[in-house]
Amino acid sequence: MSTTEQLPRQQFQATEHRVTFPGLVRSEWIKFWSVRSVVVTMVASFVAIIGIGVLTSFATRSALSSADGARAMAAQGFDGVGASLTGAQLGTLIVAAVGVIVIAGEFSTGMIRTSVVTAPRRLGVLGAKAVVLAVNVAVVTGVAVLVAFLLGQAVLNTRDLGSSIGDDGVVRALLGNVAMLVGISLAGLGVGALLRNSAGGICTVVAAIFVLPLLLMPIPDSWGGDRIREFWFNNTIQNATTVSQSDSYLSAGVGFGMFVVWVAVLLGLGALALRSRDV
């Protein structure tokens, strides 16, 4: 009789592990805050929105200290809230770069291959990135916009020119600026997925936001230039980001709807490219 006893073989049962969307979101959240360039850029957006808003408020207060400066400001339609939120315009460039980097950076490093192997349908990866990007940009820039408004109005109140958050149109302007920043970051994500190159994607978004609107200015109204300018990407949401409304742009509600359509189209093109092209 053998001194060693035959141990019964342990029966192992395969366990099925499925990739879930919440799991993808957790993974993308970790990756988002693990990339140094993304963290630095998010901090830069926070500082720029507050810093430029406060500096513009100081400059506005100084201009209003003289009679000539006050008359010039009045002729232009003084908007103290807009002065304190000037930094959000530069913030759009920064968060657009974040959106591009979030996905184009993975193409440059090859990380995207791991992501799509984990989620072969691919669209879940883009959807998770969009959720993580939108939440982080909304929180970071939302706090920055509110702080810029409060500090800017405190500066202007030294000349009794400040506004309170309860005044007409102020909450709309604050939320409109945050929506603009979130939407442009998502547009950057779509462009990044479409072009798969960080430098090319950032240049494309910058041109769309800052360069093309200037090139559209010379188009005469008889050729439909006024309608083209109204419906151009970042022009659509302009009235939703200010207290004073301009007839040169779409109304706040209609403009916000058109802005959402633009963002959805760019994200859709990025999703189509991610789904149909090899990685």
Side-chain angles (χ1 to χ4, degrees):
M1 181 177 178
S2 174
T3 57
T4 58
E5 297 182 359
Q6 185 78 23
L7 295 178
R9 291 185 179 179
Q10 186 176 2
Q11 298 297 320
F12 292 97
Q13 184 175 3
T15 303
E16 182 180 358
H17 295 280
R18 294 192 308 115
V19 177
T20 63
F21 188 71
L24 289 173
V25 171
R26 286 194 297 271
S27 173
E28 293 300 330
W29 187 281
I30 294 171
K31 285 194 288 185
F32 186 90
W33 290 110
S34 298
V35 179
R36 183 177 301 176
S37 59
V38 170
V39 175
V40 171
T41 311
M42 291 295 291
V43 172
S45 68
F46 186 86
V47 173
I49 292 171
I50 296 175
I52 294 177
V54 173
L55 289 174
T56 304
S57 299
F58 273 112
T60 303
R61 187 187 69 174
S62 298
L64 292 172
S65 62
S66 65
D68 292 339
R71 283 193 294 269
M73 287 286 187
Q76 295 173 3
F78 174 70
D79 182 4
V81 176
S84 62
L85 298 181
T86 306
Q89 297 300 319
L90 177 61
T92 58
L93 168 61
I94 301 174
V95 297
V98 173
V100 172
I101 293 170
V102 162
I103 189 162
E106 290 200 17
F107 280 99
S108 63
T109 61
M111 176 66 74
I112 192 66
R113 296 188 184 91
T114 303
S115 298
V116 298
V117 166
T118 304
R121 294 185 179 180
R122 301 186 182 186
L123 296 187
V125 174
L126 185 64
K129 287 182 181 295
V131 170
V132 170
L133 177 66
V135 170
N136 281 292
V137 170
V139 172
V140 173
T141 63
V143 173
V145 164
L146 180 60
V147 172
F149 167 76
L150 295 175
L151 294 179
Q153 298 315 300
V155 171
L156 293 173
N157 268 331
T158 59
R159 296 283 190 274
D160 295 326
L161 296 168
S163 301
S164 67
I165 200 167
D167 292 346
D168 290 340
V170 171
V171 173
R172 183 195 64 230
L174 296 176
L175 294 178
N177 275 277
V178 176
M180 174 183 68
L181 290 160
V182 172
I184 288 180
S185 70
L186 292 174
L189 179 67
V191 172
L194 185 63
L195 299 183
R196 303 185 173 190
N197 181 274
S198 296
I202 292 172
C203 290
T204 299
V205 177
V206 170
I209 296 173
F210 293 103
V211 179
L212 281 177
L214 298 177
L215 298 178
L216 295 175
M217 294 297 292
I219 301 177
D221 293 348
S222 59
W223 292 6
D226 54 342
R227 305 303 292 173
I228 295 173
R229 289 187 290 272
E230 279 184 336
F231 283 90
W232 180 248
F233 177 39
N234 55 307
N235 286 347
T236 56
I237 200 172
Q238 290 303 311
N239 271 335
T241 63
T242 58
V243 173
S244 58
Q245 303 291 283
S246 172
D247 294 335
S248 300
Y249 301 111
L250 298 173
S251 64
V254 175
F256 177 75
M258 287 304 305
F259 181 72
V260 171
V261 171
W262 268 102
V263 173
V265 169
L266 291 171
L267 273 176
L269 291 174
L272 181 62
L274 183 64
R275 183 67 185 272
S276 59
R277 292 166 59 187
D278 292 336
V279 296

